Amino acid sequence: MLVLTRRIGESVLIGDEIEVTLLDVKGDSVRLGIKAPRETRIQRSEIVQAVEAENVSAAASGANAAEDILAALTRRRDDSS
């Protein structure tokens, strides 16, 4: 990981097409401005991680739901015999 010190208004270039500028510092928060080609995806990592965790949770509950349905159908068939 590259660690840099920047002052307000100073920028960092990433490759030839991405520029990150420090816009403001307030307390323990910083505001960044990012110039990048429109096709470049820029996402907050905590949002990506939350979506991934939710997807894993949904997939796990979906697998359990299928098992529960199968068990219910099997019980129903056994009860009607």
Side-chain angles (χ1 to χ4, degrees), residues 1-47:
M1 173 186 299
L2 174 64
V3 179
L4 300 172
T5 301
R6 300 279 76 199
R7 291 187 173 94
I8 293 174
E10 293 181 334
S11 299
V12 174
L13 298 174
I14 302 172
D16 294 329
E17 298 182 324
I18 300 173
E19 180 179 4
V20 180
T21 303
L22 179 60
L23 300 176
D24 193 20
V25 178
K26 289 184 181 177
D28 61 353
S29 295
V30 298
R31 290 182 62 219
L32 300 173
I34 303 170
K35 286 185 193 175
R38 194 171 279 294
E39 63 272 6
T40 301
R41 287 180 34 187
I42 301 171
Q43 298 177 316
R44 293 176 17 204
S45 63
E46 65 274 12
I47 300 298

Side-chain angles (χ1 to χ4, degrees), residues 41-61:
R41 287 180 34 187
I42 301 171
Q43 298 177 316
R44 293 176 17 204
S45 63
E46 65 274 12
I47 300 298
V48 171
Q49 291 170 354
V51 169
E52 287 174 353
E54 188 62 31
N55 287 344
V56 167
S57 175
S61 66

